Amino acid sequence: MSILEVNNIHKSFGKTKVLQGVDFTMERGEVLVILGSSGSGKTTLLRCLNFLETADKGKIFVDGRLIFDADNKQKPSRAEIRERQLNFGLVFQSFNLFPQYSALENVTLAPKLLAKERADFKRNKAAIYDEIEKNAIALLDDVGLKDKMNNYPCELSGGQQQRVSIARAMAQDPKILFFDEPTSALDPELTGEVLKIIRSLAAEHKTMVIVTHEIEFARNVADKIVFMSEGVIVEQGAPEEVIDHPKQERTRAFLNKLSK
Amino acid sequence: MDRLSEVSASLVGGFEYNCIIFFCTLVMAVPLGLVITFGSMSRFKPLKWVSKTFVWIIRGTPLMLQLFVVLYAPGLIFDIPIKSRMTAVLIAFVINYAAYFSEIYRGGIESIPKGQYEAGQVLGLTKPQVFFKVVLFQVIKRVIPAMGNEIITLVKDTSLARIIGVTEIIMCAERFTKQGLIWPLFSTGLFFLAFCGILTLLFGYIEKKLDYYKG
């Protein structure tokens, strides 16, 4: 069964049609890279999948379960919203770390707040918090920032901030981790450290959807590439097919522009 | 010497009223302002409209006039006169300052980048959690300078209470002018200066405390 199935997603802002029927599926452990020029709808697609925007039309299934249906006008309950949200994690282009919290607190904040809803929270508070912190420190260690865990975001470089935000997204153990141009806000010499972390996640078979402009990185890390243009998927397939032997004119034009 | 102690006792007694008005207004207007902010930022149009009109009226008329209205209007319109002048002063001050605070809060809340809310949302936090655990603290840091300004204005505005007969410090000092003494009136300025000086130091300290992070 596919871990994610996206059906006919449409989204307009006023008269501008940004997504005009996007369909794709992905399997557990797969890394999907979305390519496309700016304005092609990549970011809007990611935002619809993470419920930061509400799609006008379409359905989203996770593990075969319908978690979003635009035709269902019934407002989901708070518990439902949270449950569907926790399927996914999102790493933003601009990090969006919480500036008043240390790196460690950024990672533990959401798990600690969510833990309060556990039935055994009152009895085991200390143990639960302890476990959350241990897990967070391990995640920060994975992204190479254990020694910076008590630093505030303003004391970290862009690359380090983005690595903290990857650890923060991982702390909720999402089924699928999304990246929205994770290196676009970074100086060129800092992109490497972030891409390295994403590569290591791919090696661990974390299911990921990545929007990026880094073609070489896409070629290395992707199991499948999706090329978007004008709100639809124009072409999809293995990296060597889409990047090296594109069938569509629009894909070729985009790749040509990038290589110049 | 007797004169000096008589004057200072009177001025200190009067300044007690200024202090009571100051602290009571602060304690009540700070949270009430937040309620008005939620009203004026509400997506429920009638509530938003009522809050905005309220803020417009309060900010658009003199506090002195509002003191008269609060003192006389309940008795004239509803036949329930306000018994204590101090109560009238407090009601007028709390309403007035809550309106000003609400606009400062609104500016602070609207200055927080959208990404902070979105990051909280994708981590599975509820809207109240995002507001109280992520946004509020950042808002506090951003509004502290403006709040300091407004709170220092409040110290001096307390002397307006005399307009409806509350014997605050300036009213006390004025009595001595009728006996040919002008210096008590001038010396009231020292009380205000000292109070505002302490507040300035306090706000400087708070700003420094919150300076551990940028952004």
Side-chain angles (χ1 to χ4, degrees):
Chain A
M1 193 193 309
S2 303
I3 191 166
L4 176 67
E5 185 180 337
V6 176
N7 258 346
N8 199 25
I9 296 283
H10 284 71
K11 176 72 187 172
S12 303
F13 295 107
K15 281 187 179 156
T16 320
K17 290 179 180 166
V18 183
L19 298 177
Q20 311 192 54
V22 175
D23 300 88
F24 69 88
T25 60
M26 64 186 294
E27 306 305 319
R28 190 178 303 277
E30 208 171 45
V31 178
L32 179 84
V33 169
I34 305 179
L35 297 176
S37 45
S38 25
S40 59
K42 307 173 304 252
T43 294
T44 305
L45 176 62
L46 240 56
R47 291 174 61 85
C48 285
L49 295 176
N50 281 281
F51 311 107
L52 293 175
E53 308 284 352
T54 309
D56 303 328
K57 212 172 136 183
K59 292 185 175 68
I60 302 169
F61 299 85
V62 171
D63 280 334
R65 263 188 61 212
L66 179 67
I67 62 157
F68 173 80
D69 181 359
D71 293 331
N72 183 0
K73 296 295 178 204
Q74 219 178 5
K75 255 195 156 180
S77 72
R78 227 165 73 171
E80 283 169 333
I81 292 177
R82 160 164 303 176
E83 202 202 320
R84 69 182 198 189
Q85 193 86 60
L86 286 177
N87 286 306
F88 304 142
L90 176 61
V91 173
F92 295 86
Q93 183 177 347
S94 48
F95 331 136
N96 294 341
L97 290 179
F98 307 132
Q100 74 271 38
Y101 294 123
S102 69
L104 180 63
E105 289 165 335
N106 263 279
V107 181
T108 58
L109 179 72
K112 281 187 177 174
L113 287 174
L114 262 68
K116 285 186 181 166
E117 288 163 23
R118 283 167 56 166
D120 61 341
F121 178 72
K122 280 216 175 99
R123 260 179 299 125
N124 301 333
K125 184 177 170 184
I128 291 173
Y129 276 8
D130 201 44
E131 197 191 312
I132 290 173
E133 278 193 14
K134 267 194 201 133
N135 182 43
I137 293 170
L139 286 166
L140 285 169
D141 199 16
D142 288 345
V143 298
L145 288 173
K146 195 177 170 186
D147 55 328
K148 299 271 185 197
M149 68 182 192
N150 292 321
N151 287 68
Y152 290 93
C154 62
E155 299 164 336
L156 302 174
S157 73
Q160 290 171 333
Q161 288 188 51
Q162 191 60 301
R163 281 146 65 194
V164 172
S165 94
I166 293 172
R168 181 177 69 172
M170 290 290 293
Q172 298 287 61
D173 197 23
K175 286 183 181 156
I176 307 173
L177 189 54
F178 292 82
F179 293 84
D180 184 12
E181 301 193 27
T183 58
S184 294
L186 299 177
D187 292 332
E189 76 266 24
L190 298 177
T191 59
E193 58 188 78
V194 172
L195 297 182
K196 199 177 120 199
I197 300 293
I198 302 175
R199 265 194 209 103
S200 68
L201 287 172
E204 292 163 23
H205 301 291
K206 182 81 196 162
T207 313
M208 295 188 283
V209 177
I210 307 167
V211 170
T212 184
H213 290 294
E214 306 270 344
I215 286 289
E216 280 317 305
F217 168 68
R219 190 203 302 274
N220 289 334
V221 82
D223 296 303
K224 188 159 110 185
I225 298 226
V226 160
F227 176 71
M228 281 183 75
S229 178
E230 291 167 26
V232 291
I233 292 177
V234 177
E235 188 164 352
Q236 53 182 310
E240 47 276 14
E241 289 172 35
V242 178
I243 295 178
D244 299 327
H245 306 287
K247 293 188 191 73
Q248 302 291 328
E249 188 48 47
R250 276 188 281 185
T251 319
R252 274 197 288 268
F254 170 76
L255 291 168
N256 272 337
K257 240 190 281 169
L258 270 195
S259 58
K260 263 173 203 164
Chain B
M1 199 56 215
D2 269 358
R3 243 315 149 60
L4 182 62
S5 56
E6 188 195 336
V7 168
S8 37
S10 168
L11 294 191
V12 168
F15 200 60
E16 253 174 55
Y17 281 105
N18 298 75
C19 292
I20 293 170
I21 299 169
F22 173 82
F23 285 111
C24 292
T25 304
L26 200 58
V27 166
M28 290 185 272
V30 163
L32 182 62
L34 196 57
V35 174
I36 301 172
T37 308
F38 289 143
S40 59
M41 291 180 75
S42 169
R43 264 182 266 169
F44 181 57
K45 285 280 160 60
L47 180 60
K48 184 184 174 122
W49 189 85
V50 167
S51 309
K52 292 235 169 205
T53 310
F54 174 78
V55 170
W56 170 60
I57 292 171
I58 299 300
R59 292 202 307 173
T61 55
L63 177 53
M64 196 189 278
L65 177 61
Q66 291 164 14
L67 283 163
F68 283 125
V69 171
V70 173
L71 181 63
Y72 295 124
L76 292 173
I77 301 170
F78 306 108
D79 211 27
I80 26 172
I82 285 197
K83 291 206 182 76
S84 141
R85 287 167 181 268
M86 194 59 178
T87 310
V89 167
L90 288 179
I91 293 173
F93 268 76
V94 169
I95 290 177
N96 183 279
Y97 272 84
Y100 278 95
F101 289 163
S102 80
E103 285 297 282
I104 295 177
Y105 298 158
R106 190 174 62 84
I109 292 173
E110 285 175 354
S111 75
I112 303 298
K114 218 174 68 187
Q116 292 289 307
Y117 294 90
E118 294 184 342
Q121 190 195 325
V122 296
L123 288 169
L125 306 188
T126 61
K127 277 186 180 168
Q129 283 174 335
V130 172
F131 183 78
F132 287 106
K133 295 291 178 178
V134 174
V135 175
L136 184 61
F137 191 81
Q138 299 180 51
V139 172
I140 291 172
K141 176 171 160 127
R142 289 180 191 211
V143 301
I144 284 291
M147 287 295 280
N149 212 16
E150 203 57 40
I151 287 169
I152 280 171
T153 305
L154 170 61
V155 176
K156 294 160 292 170
D157 272 359
T158 55
S159 61
L160 276 173
R162 74 172 300 277
I163 214 73
I164 57 170
V166 171
T167 51
E168 53 69 58
I169 188 168
I170 293 189
M171 192 162 179
C172 294
E174 257 188 311
R175 287 184 186 148
F176 291 103
T177 58
K178 288 171 193 134
Q179 302 165 25
L181 282 181
I182 194 75
W183 63 266
L185 184 59
F186 290 173
S187 60
T188 59
L190 298 175
F191 285 80
F192 290 102
L193 274 177
F195 200 159
C196 290
I198 293 168
L199 284 178
T200 307
L201 292 176
L202 181 67
F203 273 96
Y205 173 77
I206 296 173
E207 276 182 47
K208 213 170 166 187
K209 273 270 158 192
L210 295 180
D211 214 26
Y212 71 87
Y213 78 89
K214 304 259 181 305

